[in-house]
Amino acid sequence: MRIAFFTDTYFPEVNGVTNTLSRLGNYLDNLHINQLVIASDYENENQECGSIYRKISRFNGNKISISPKSRLAIPAFWDIDRICDDFMPDIIHVTTELGIGFQGMRYAYSRNIPLVMSYHTDYCNYLKYHNLELIRPLIELYLSWFYNFSCRTLVPSLYTLGVLIKKGYRNLDIWSRGIDSGNFSPDYRNEGLRKTLADGKFIFLYVGRLSAEKSLDLLLNAAENIELRFPGQTAFVFTGDGPYAKTIKSKNLKNTVLTGFLKGRELSEIYASADCFAFPSSTETFGNVVLEAMASGLPVAAVGSGGVTDFLSHNYNSLLCAPDNQDFFINNLVSIMQNNKLRSQLSVNAKNSALFRDWNSIFAGLVNMYADTIKKNRQYTMQLSA
């Protein structure tokens, strides 16, 4: 089996898509499956993550104002055709919808190669945060047209599956997400780090992109409210990077801490060293960071909307509220902070819930799906030529 991946976001950019693709690449390497990755060039950053089974071809990418860490590349079709014809893929997997993703769709269609797409981000839910709601009908039309070319469109959660079914998308299937319990565990708790971050305070943690579409206004307002009610007793730690960092800094709240982007052991330790994971976003198609927090033993206060509802259960491993319900969100944070018994119960259940999700079984299912799609395409082609 030879697989060509087309993605507009890849290492060294860090997000749910890139993390998943990196893990998948390692899994396929271990199976000695040849891969071609078509991705953007991130200029002078360290971009090496290939292997003897994984070739990476990059194209010059331009910065995007609403996502400065991202790069949008629009490669020439003849370059794509030359590289892919030389590789001779059995199947194409497109993970994004823009310049490179579009070329993957075009190439698969032109060569009659089976095409799988994975739906990772609900862009239409983000438009209102960037004053782009007027173009929503055009985006919806483009996306429904784009995904219509796939043999299978893979979504990460039952919630996202339901959303796309209502929009009329076809050939949908679930490709869920897993957790590496070796990287995320309460064993990484670091008392020295706790002392450095917020000596003696209750630590609420957010991990992820710092941007308006993550509903961080909800979390920042909660931090301000809770500081007034419990002065000097809490710390709201924001781990990640993005344009909203400027807003957090401009508020100049006494109980907010920005760590910047963390990875590896530093990320594992900050999860395990917090007391509660606070996640205000209602636009997630899955919510990888929530699962990482749960595996680290953190109770979760979140919004009960989006892909996180696949694995979060109110009063079992989390406290949930409706989107943009500021009062309930604050009350849930305070309840977890003040009720030791509740916090302990949520923590144990969160960890147990996360441990049920294993990457290897998820990737094994994906590889079987690849093989089945390739087989059906060959049978269909033989029938046409008979």
Side-chain angles (χ1 to χ4, degrees):
M1 185 187 303
R2 302 174 68 83
I3 309 168
F5 294 95
F6 286 75
T7 180
D8 293 286
T9 178
Y10 200 59
F11 181 87
E13 187 176 358
V14 177
N15 53 46
V17 180
T18 62
N19 289 341
T20 300
L21 288 177
S22 177
R23 291 181 181 278
L24 174 58
N26 293 336
Y27 179 85
L28 296 175
D29 285 347
N30 290 334
L31 294 180
H32 300 175
I33 292 176
N34 290 306
Q35 310 146 61
L36 170 66
V37 180
I38 307 293
S40 296
D41 184 355
Y42 289 79
E43 298 165 353
N44 298 322
E45 298 184 50
N46 180 12
Q47 302 180 139
E48 293 304 319
C49 65
S51 70
I52 60 173
Y53 298 105
R54 197 181 339 163
K55 176 186 176 183
I56 303 173
S57 291
R58 294 186 182 269
F59 291 87
N60 183 49
N62 299 309
K63 291 184 178 181
I64 306 171
S65 59
I66 63 174
S67 182
K69 295 290 184 180
S70 302
R71 300 291 184 272
L72 178 61
I74 306 178
F77 73 85
W78 52 83
D79 289 329
I80 294 293
D81 289 355
R82 173 178 49 80
I83 293 168
C84 292
D85 285 346
D86 183 61
F87 179 71
M88 298 178 62
D90 297 306
I91 191 167
I92 304 290
H93 186 160
V94 168
T95 70
T96 49
E97 305 88 345
L98 301 177
I100 290 177
F102 180 87
Q103 288 290 6
M105 178 271 286
R106 181 203 60 81
Y107 178 79
Y109 189 74
S110 70
R111 299 297 193 272
N112 192 32
I113 297 172
L115 172 64
V116 170
M117 295 182 176
S118 48
Y119 183 98
H120 295 267
T121 305
D122 189 348
Y123 291 107
C124 291
N125 269 340
Y126 288 2
L127 295 175
K128 63 182 179 181
Y129 297 100
H130 299 284
N131 298 316
L132 295 172
E133 191 68 21
L134 285 175
I135 66 171
R136 184 182 184 118
L138 291 176
I139 301 297
E140 292 277 21
L141 185 63
Y142 170 75
L143 291 176
S144 62
W145 171 82
F146 179 81
Y147 282 103
N148 190 48
F149 287 93
S150 66
C151 299
R152 303 267 185 102
T153 295
L154 307 176
V155 299
S157 63
L158 286 169
Y159 172 86
T160 307
L161 181 71
V163 169
L164 295 188
I165 287 174
K166 289 180 181 178
K167 291 183 178 182
Y169 284 50
R170 300 179 296 176
N171 303 321
L172 297 170
D173 207 346
I174 289 184
W175 173 33
S176 190
R177 302 293 182 267
I179 191 70
D180 185 345
S181 58
N183 288 337
F184 302 101
S185 165
D187 294 341
Y188 285 100
R189 187 175 177 90
N190 184 329
E191 294 299 332
L193 176 60
R194 284 181 57 84
K195 186 177 179 65
T196 300
L197 284 174
D199 191 11
K201 297 180 181 180
F202 189 93
I203 299 176
F204 294 103
L205 175 68
Y206 168 85
V207 175
R209 177 168 159 72
L210 302 184
S211 54
E213 65 267 17
K214 299 296 185 180
S215 299
L216 290 179
D217 281 348
L218 189 69
L219 184 54
L220 194 58
N221 290 336
E224 186 172 16
N225 181 285
I226 289 175
E227 176 63 17
L228 290 174
R229 293 170 59 181
F230 305 96
Q233 296 181 40
T234 65
F236 283 75
V237 177
F238 293 81
T239 293
D241 198 7
Y244 197 84
K246 293 181 180 179
T247 303
I248 299 172
K249 291 176 183 177
S250 68
K251 279 280 190 175
N252 198 29
L253 298 179
K254 294 180 179 179
N255 63 339
T256 56
V257 179
L258 291 106
T259 69
F261 171 75
L262 298 177
K263 62 181 180 179
R265 188 178 182 89
E266 287 184 324
L267 180 60
S268 301
E269 288 184 350
I270 206 160
Y271 271 124
S273 301
D275 297 300
C276 172
F277 193 69
F279 197 69
S281 176
S282 60
T283 61
E284 304 303 306
T285 57
F286 185 77
N288 300 65
V289 293
V290 182
L291 203 61
E292 292 168 358
M294 293 168 69
S296 303
L298 293 187
V300 177
V303 170
S305 179
V308 298
T309 55
D310 268 26
F311 50 88
L312 288 181
S313 177
H314 183 62
N315 274 333
Y316 177 71
N317 54 24
S318 60
L319 294 184
L320 304 177
C321 70
D324 299 320
N325 194 322
Q326 185 74 68
D327 291 339
F328 270 86
F329 187 63
I330 292 172
N331 288 340
N332 287 345
L333 293 173
V334 172
S335 294
I336 291 175
M337 179 177 68
Q338 292 191 314
N339 190 329
N340 293 337
K341 182 178 179 181
L342 172 66
R343 185 167 68 252
S344 177
Q345 174 189 331
L346 296 177
S347 172
V348 170
N349 292 338
K351 189 174 188 305
N352 289 338
S353 299
L355 292 179
F356 278 106
R357 294 179 171 268
D358 174 65
W359 274 119
N360 285 341
S361 60
I362 289 169
F363 289 147
L366 179 65
V367 171
N368 288 337
M369 186 277 297
Y370 286 152
D372 181 63
T373 303
I374 293 169
K375 179 181 178 181
K376 287 181 177 178
N377 183 74
R378 286 174 178 168
Q379 290 174 341
Y380 179 71
T381 302
M382 290 175 63
Q383 289 174 359
L384 289 178
S385 60

